């Protein structure tokens, strides 16, 4: 009827194919999974059949909005409100709400709860739940219908008759609701225990089967891995031997070729070295004979010239010596006297120089003491001179007073004793002369000392300049030696490069030959 292969349909319902990098793995499904596959197939067939029927019907009627025959969906959800609403309309609206709640329960709530339990990827569908409206109308004991029953019965509380108990309207419904709730809780508890037991039993069975399958699958994988490792090890061993054989063969060929090339190169190098040594030996012999001849000729010429020059020079020196001897014979006495004078002068200057050196040291030490003594003596003499002047002035005043107080008849000639004043004046002049002479000597000594210092500075400056020139000359010599070393190194490198170039050229010429 479905026009499909029976075996393919059976495999699709009872087996599952797992795609792995190593290949596809076919696994048998358990009965529950097979039933699920069957139900899914039935749902798919039913959905596609329904879509096909609807499409056929729509095509047959042409989808004309003005047509009399059309398939549509009637929406029964919602209250119908009129100008005058009766109890019958309330019952109709309640029926519509119940039908809508049944639809919501089976289409939205139960389906989405199943999706949640199965943990599949889906988006939640929002819908308007009208359970609050149903509870407002029919829920016991606070619903509208229960309140109407209670108001219609008119009973208050519990009334007990002779043989029966009469309950207030709504109480029986409340008791029934309580009984239903207790029974529902008990049923849910029993169902939960049974489902837990069944689920645990199924889980244990599934775990055992899974462990067994995992053991078998891991054994299969281990066997495959072992086989792969054996093949890989064998291939590696084969590759190793092949590569070793190829490398050994290549090395043997390369070694033989290298030996042949080395033999030829060494023979050619030996021949070149033999020819070079022969040329060097012949050139050395020629150079030796030529240098000997050239040196001998130069030596004979130089010897002849030297003998001629020595004869001329010795004749000239002899004539000069003769003239000097003649002059010396005449000037021997004067030269001897001059020599004696010069020697005495040198000795005197040497002694004076040593004396001045010692005197400079002594004068430097005694200069301060002598000046202090002279200043003290000068102050003392100045004090004595002031006292002498004061005494003379006092005597003159006393003499004047005596003359004034003397009688006018007797007139005496005043006699002034100037001897002491003259002595003091002479001493003062002598001291001043000594001071001036001492100052003059000090100035001369200071002048000599400054001259000696100037000369010492000049000599020290000359020594420093000489040391500086010597240092500069030493640095210049070191730089020249360094440059000479660099030039020798460069010359050696150039020689080696020229030798290598000549060797390579000879080698290339030999190879071309």
């Amino acid at each position: 009827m479905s026009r499909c292969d029976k075996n393919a349909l059976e495999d699709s319902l009872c087996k599952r194919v797992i795609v792995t990098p190593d290949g596809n793995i076919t696994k048998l499904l358990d009965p529950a999974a097979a039933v699920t596959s069957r139900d899914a197939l039935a749902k798919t067939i039913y959905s596609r059949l329904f879509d096909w029927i609807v499409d056929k019907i729509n095509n047959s009627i042409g989808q004309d909005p003005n047509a009399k025959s059309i398939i549509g969906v009637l929406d029964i959800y919602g209250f119908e409100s009129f100008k005058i609403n009766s109890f019958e309309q309330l019952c109709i609206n309640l029926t519509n709400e119940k039908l809508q709640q049944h639809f919501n329960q089976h289409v939205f709530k139960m389906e989405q709860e199943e999706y949640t339990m199965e943990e599949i990827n889906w988006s939640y569908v929002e819908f308007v739940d009208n359970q609050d409206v149903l509870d407002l109308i029919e829920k016991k004991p606070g619903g509208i219908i229960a309140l109407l029953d209670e108001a219609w019965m008119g009973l208050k509380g519990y009334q007990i008759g002779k043989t029966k108990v009469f309950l207030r309207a709504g109480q029986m419904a409340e008791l029934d609701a309580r009984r239903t709730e207790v029974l529902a809780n008990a049923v849910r508890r029993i169902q939960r225990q049974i489902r837990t037991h069944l689920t645990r039993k199924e889980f244990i069975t599934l775990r055992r089967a899974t462990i067994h399958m995992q053991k078998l699958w891991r054994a299969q994988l281990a066997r495959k891995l072992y086989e792969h490792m054996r093949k890989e090890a064998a291939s590696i061993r084969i590759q190793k031997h092949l590569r070793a054989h190829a490398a050994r063969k290549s090395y043997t060929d390369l070694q033989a070729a290298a030996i042949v090339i080395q033999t030829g190169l060494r023979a050619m190098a030996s021949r070149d070295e033999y020819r070079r040594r022969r040329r060097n030996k012949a050139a050395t012999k020629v150079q030796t004979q030529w240098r000997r001849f050239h040196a001998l000729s130069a030596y004979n010429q130089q010897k002849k010239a030297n003998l001629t020059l020595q004869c001329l020079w010795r004749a000239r020196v002899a004539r000069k010596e003769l003239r000097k001897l003649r002059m010396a014979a005449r000037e021997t006495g004067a030269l001897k006297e001059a020599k004696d004078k010069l020697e005495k002068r040198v000795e005197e200057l040497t002694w004076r120089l040593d004396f001045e050196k010692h005197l400079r040291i002594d004068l430097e030490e005694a200069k301060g003491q002598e000046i202090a003594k002279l200043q003290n003596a000068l102050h003392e003499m100045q004090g004595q001179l002031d006292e002498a002047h004061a005494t003379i002035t006092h005597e003159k005043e006393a003499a004047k007073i005596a003359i004034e107080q003397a009688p006018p008849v007797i007139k005496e000639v005043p006699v002034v004793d100037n001897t002491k004043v003259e002595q003091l004046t002479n001493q003062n002049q002598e001291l001043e002369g000594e001071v001036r002479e001492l100052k003059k000597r000090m100035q001369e000594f200071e002048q000599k000392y400054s001259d000696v210092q100037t000369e010492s500075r000049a000599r020290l400056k000359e020594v420093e300049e000489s040391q500086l020139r010597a240092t500069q000359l030493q640095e210049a010599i070191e730089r020249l030696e360094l440059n000479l070393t660099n030039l020798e190194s460069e010359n050696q490198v150039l020689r080696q490069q020229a030798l290598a170039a000549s060797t390579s050229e000879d080698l290339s010429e030999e190879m071309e030959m």
Side-chain angles (χ1 to χ4, degrees):
M1 181 178 178
S2 60
R3 296 180 182 179
C4 62
D5 189 9
K6 179 181 178 182
N7 296 325
L9 179 61
E10 184 179 358
D11 292 336
S12 63
L13 293 176
C14 298
K15 297 179 182 179
R16 184 176 61 178
V17 179
I18 301 173
V19 180
T20 62
D22 296 331
N24 297 332
I25 299 173
T26 303
K27 180 182 178 183
L28 294 175
L29 298 176
D30 57 352
V35 170
T36 303
S37 300
R38 182 200 63 190
D39 295 339
L41 177 62
K43 289 180 181 179
T44 303
I45 293 172
Y46 178 81
S47 176
R48 293 187 178 182
L49 181 60
F50 181 82
D51 294 337
W52 181 79
I53 292 172
V54 171
D55 186 67
K56 287 295 183 181
I57 294 172
N58 289 334
N59 290 330
S60 64
I61 63 178
Q63 291 284 347
D64 188 6
N66 298 321
K68 294 181 180 180
S69 299
I70 189 170
I71 295 177
V73 179
L74 176 62
D75 185 14
I76 61 174
Y77 177 63
F79 278 86
E80 292 181 358
S81 179
F82 302 99
K83 292 182 179 180
I84 297 174
N85 296 305
S86 61
F87 180 72
E88 289 78 5
Q89 185 63 43
L90 178 63
C91 293
I92 293 170
N93 290 335
L94 177 60
T95 303
N96 292 334
E97 293 292 337
K98 293 283 285 183
L99 291 173
Q100 182 64 36
Q101 180 61 30
H102 181 77
F103 177 78
N104 292 340
Q105 183 70 25
H106 288 80
V107 174
F108 294 107
K109 291 184 179 179
M110 294 176 65
E111 196 71 20
Q112 295 190 112
E113 286 177 359
E114 185 177 1
Y115 293 164
T116 304
M117 290 173 62
E118 293 295 333
E119 296 181 356
I120 62 174
N121 189 11
W122 62 285
S123 59
Y124 186 79
V125 179
E126 298 288 343
F127 65 94
V128 178
D129 191 3
N130 60 344
Q131 185 63 43
D132 296 337
V133 177
L134 295 177
D135 293 340
L136 176 64
I137 295 174
E138 64 177 357
K139 187 176 181 181
K140 296 178 182 181
I144 294 174
I145 295 175
L147 292 176
L148 289 175
D149 290 339
E150 183 180 353
W152 180 71
M153 292 298 293
L155 295 177
K156 298 180 179 180
Y158 293 101
Q159 297 184 9
I160 303 173
K162 291 182 179 180
T163 58
K164 297 181 180 179
V165 176
F166 296 90
L167 299 176
R168 188 184 62 183
Q171 289 296 114
M172 193 64 187
E174 185 176 356
L175 291 176
D176 291 338
R178 180 62 180 167
R179 177 174 172 274
T180 302
E181 183 179 359
V182 171
L183 290 175
N185 291 331
V187 169
R188 282 195 294 271
R189 187 178 295 108
I190 293 169
Q191 289 178 350
R192 184 169 62 249
Q193 296 294 330
I194 292 173
R195 287 174 181 172
T196 302
H197 176 71
L198 294 176
T199 304
R200 186 173 181 278
K201 186 177 180 181
E202 182 181 1
F203 170 73
I204 292 172
T205 304
L206 184 61
R207 185 177 66 177
R208 289 176 181 175
T210 303
I211 292 171
H212 183 68
M213 289 297 294
Q214 288 177 351
K215 180 174 69 176
L216 295 176
W217 178 245
R218 287 171 181 169
Q220 183 67 20
L221 289 178
R223 285 192 293 273
K224 288 184 178 180
L225 180 61
Y226 175 71
E227 186 66 24
H228 176 70
M229 290 173 67
R230 283 186 61 193
K231 291 180 179 179
E232 185 177 4
S235 63
I236 290 171
R237 191 176 294 108
I238 293 169
Q239 290 176 1
K240 180 177 68 175
H241 289 296
L242 288 176
R243 288 173 182 169
H245 176 71
R248 187 161 52 251
K249 185 177 180 181
S250 176
Y251 173 74
T252 304
D253 297 339
L254 184 62
Q255 185 180 19
I259 291 171
V260 172
I261 293 171
Q262 287 177 355
T263 303
L265 290 176
R266 286 172 182 171
M268 185 169 60
S270 299
R271 288 193 294 271
D272 292 339
E273 182 66 20
Y274 176 70
R275 284 194 295 269
R276 187 183 66 79
R277 288 184 179 180
R278 285 188 63 188
R279 287 197 299 267
N280 290 339
K281 188 175 182 180
T284 303
K285 288 182 179 179
V286 172
Q287 289 176 358
T288 302
Q289 296 297 329
W290 169 250
R291 287 173 182 170
R292 180 176 175 278
F293 174 74
H294 187 268
L296 185 60
S297 300
Y299 172 73
N300 291 329
Q301 292 178 3
Q302 187 70 27
K303 183 178 179 181
K304 186 177 180 180
N306 288 333
L307 290 174
T308 304
L309 184 62
Q310 286 176 2
C311 292
L312 295 174
W313 178 256
R314 286 171 182 172
R316 184 180 178 183
V317 169
R319 286 193 295 271
K320 286 184 178 181
E321 289 292 331
L322 181 60
R323 286 196 297 268
K324 287 181 180 180
L325 289 174
R326 288 176 180 177
M327 292 176 66
R330 292 192 298 266
E331 297 177 357
T332 302
L335 289 174
K336 189 174 181 180
E337 291 179 0
K339 180 181 178 182
D340 295 337
K341 289 181 180 179
L342 288 174
E343 289 178 354
K344 290 181 180 179
R345 183 63 177 171
V346 169
E347 291 177 359
E348 184 180 356
L349 289 174
T350 304
W351 179 82
R352 288 186 64 184
L353 181 61
D354 294 334
F355 177 75
E356 287 179 357
K357 287 181 180 179
H358 292 292
L359 182 62
R360 182 180 64 183
I361 295 170
D362 295 337
L363 287 176
E364 286 178 357
E365 294 177 355
K367 181 179 178 180
Q369 298 178 1
E370 187 68 22
I371 292 171
K373 289 179 180 180
L374 291 174
Q375 288 179 355
N376 292 329
L378 183 62
H379 288 302
E380 291 178 359
M381 290 180 181
Q382 188 68 31
Q384 293 177 4
L385 185 61
D386 293 336
E387 289 179 0
H389 283 295
T391 305
I392 292 169
T393 306
H394 182 68
E395 290 178 356
K396 286 181 178 180
E397 290 178 356
K400 288 180 180 179
I401 293 171
I403 291 169
E404 290 177 357
Q405 291 179 0
V409 179
I410 301 172
K411 293 182 180 180
E412 294 181 357
V413 179
V415 178
V416 180
D417 191 5
N418 293 326
T419 304
K420 192 174 183 180
V421 175
E422 290 177 356
Q423 290 178 356
L424 292 174
T425 303
N426 293 329
Q427 290 179 0
N428 189 11
Q429 290 177 357
E430 290 176 358
L431 289 173
E432 288 178 356
E434 291 178 357
V435 169
R436 284 194 296 270
E437 185 179 359
L438 183 59
K439 286 182 179 180
K440 185 177 180 181
R441 288 176 63 188
M442 287 176 64
Q443 288 177 358
E444 292 177 354
F445 177 74
E446 288 178 355
Q447 183 65 31
K448 291 180 181 180
Y449 181 70
S450 63
D451 294 338
V452 172
Q453 284 185 343
T454 304
E455 186 177 358
S456 299
R457 292 194 194 96
R459 290 180 180 177
L460 181 61
K461 187 175 181 181
E462 289 178 357
V463 172
E464 290 178 353
E465 290 178 354
S466 300
Q467 291 179 354
L468 181 60
R469 286 197 297 272
T471 305
Q472 292 176 353
L473 183 60
Q474 184 67 27
E475 292 177 355
I477 291 170
E478 291 178 356
R479 285 197 296 271
L480 290 174
E481 290 178 353
L482 181 60
N483 293 330
L484 182 60
T485 305
N486 295 331
L487 289 174
E488 289 179 354
S489 301
E490 292 178 358
N491 191 10
Q492 187 177 2
V493 171
L494 291 174
R495 287 179 181 175
Q496 292 178 357
Q497 291 178 356
L499 182 60
S502 64
T503 305
S504 62
E505 288 177 359
D506 295 338
L507 181 61
S508 62
E509 290 177 359
E510 291 292 336
M511 292 178 69
E512 289 177 358
M513 291 173 63

